[in-house]
Amino acid sequence: MRLGKVAYWMLGKIGGGIFVLWAVATAIFFGIRMIPGDPAEAIMGGPGSQASAEALALARAEYGLDQPLPVQYLGQLWKLATGDLGTSYSLKVPVAEVLGELVPPTLTLAVLSLLVAWVLALVVATASIRSGAAGRALASGLEIVSAAVPHFWLASVLILLFSTTLDWLPPVSTQTPAGLVLPVATLALPLAGFLGQVMRDSMLEAHTSPFALSARARGESENGVLLRHALRHAALPGIALSGWAFGSLLSGAVVVESIFARPGLGRSLLSAVTARDIPMVTGVALLSAAAYVAIMAFSDLAERLADPRLRAA
């Protein structure tokens, strides 16, 4: 019976993931064709290439752009279903090859940012619980401000402070660990503010719950109650929100990678949209959607493993 429930859960996640990928591919296909301009010009190098009418016609025929829109749409879906992401219009190389080079830097940035945000949120939430009402009010104010700060403004302030004024860190991303500090901080600080608010409320509720009172009655210290019991409950909403958080980090990477001149999916997506590089835009969007679906499934599984009540259900 338990195996049947697990199989049903997995099939539901797979089916939902396929639907999300189809919806993203459909939105990208029709959305990018609403942008003014001729995709054939992008294939030939952009409007500045001054390609002849004959060359543009050949490009349309080669890439199927001369066919009716429904035929193009179904052909695109078939290629994606068979794993063919096509060739980048602007780079003239297979999209899969480009993505293979761009995934590691973006994944590194997103994972490090998520870990740093988690650590900051837990530290602030734990410290505020032990500091009383005044400490919780101060932490809540800092978290609200942190969560509301836009990435581009925070990146500018960090560059001005740590690169221009103090000269501690490079203003652009480099291959060294120091080059990751400012991009990671730009993504992690707003996310930490959001996670911290949720975790602190859950921790405070657990800290005053009957099972915490029972633990104190058995001789458990305040630190033991906080770290062994309340901290576990505080982590549950953070785990549940990790999938959404990862998706927000991928969207924030578009701004951060552009500001810090860091190679990655976000910066390449911005360039591809500007150049009307349909295969590249589709490939980056689908990969981001697939990563979001996978991390949502993983966070759901982790939440079930951490919460006995969900396992029982």
Side-chain angles (χ1 to χ4, degrees), residues 207-218:
H207 194 254
T208 57
S209 62
F211 70 82
L213 296 176
S214 177
R216 293 188 185 95
R218 295 194 304 268

Side-chain angles (χ1 to χ4, degrees), residues 256-280:
V256 171
E257 289 175 350
S258 299
I259 293 176
F260 291 100
R262 178 179 175 81
L265 293 175
R267 188 181 177 192
S268 298
L269 177 60
L270 184 61
S271 301
V273 170
T274 304
R276 291 179 59 88
D277 193 338
I278 298 175
M280 192 66 191

Side-chain angles (χ1 to χ4, degrees), residues 40-51:
E41 289 186 349
I43 299 173
M44 300 303 296
S49 64
Q50 297 182 349

Side-chain angles (χ1 to χ4, degrees), residues 159 163 169-183 256-263 267:
I159 291 174
S163 298
L169 296 168
V172 296
S173 184
T174 62
Q175 300 300 322
T176 62
L180 269 172
V181 174
L182 293 184
V256 171
E257 289 175 350
S258 299
I259 293 176
F260 291 100
R262 178 179 175 81
R267 188 181 177 192

Side-chain angles (χ1 to χ4, degrees), residues 26-105:
T26 301
I28 291 296
F29 179 86
F30 290 104
I32 203 168
R33 281 164 174 77
M34 295 175 65
I35 301 176
D38 187 355
E41 289 186 349
I43 299 173
M44 300 303 296
S49 64
Q50 297 182 349
S52 64
E54 293 78 7
L56 292 176
L58 288 174
R60 295 189 190 96
E62 181 179 354
Y63 286 88
L65 298 175
D66 57 343
Q67 299 178 354
L69 199 60
V71 176
Q72 295 183 43
Y73 172 66
L74 294 176
Q76 175 78 352
L77 290 183
W78 173 251
K79 288 182 178 180
L80 294 177
T82 56
D84 183 8
L85 297 177
T87 301
S88 170
Y89 293 167
S90 55
L91 301 176
K92 310 302 181 185
V93 294
V95 173
E97 181 179 331
V98 179
L99 294 181
E101 298 176 357
L102 298 178
V103 166

Side-chain angles (χ1 to χ4, degrees), residues 1-10 301 304-305 307-313:
M1 187 68 176
R2 184 178 297 273
L3 290 177
K5 291 183 178 180
V6 172
Y8 180 78
W9 179 82
M10 292 181 63
L301 179 60
R304 291 172 183 271
L305 292 176
D307 193 341
R309 295 169 298 180
L310 294 178
R311 289 202 304 271

Side-chain angles (χ1 to χ4, degrees), residues 128-139:
S128 65
I129 293 297
R130 301 180 62 177
S131 302
R136 290 194 295 271
L138 177 61

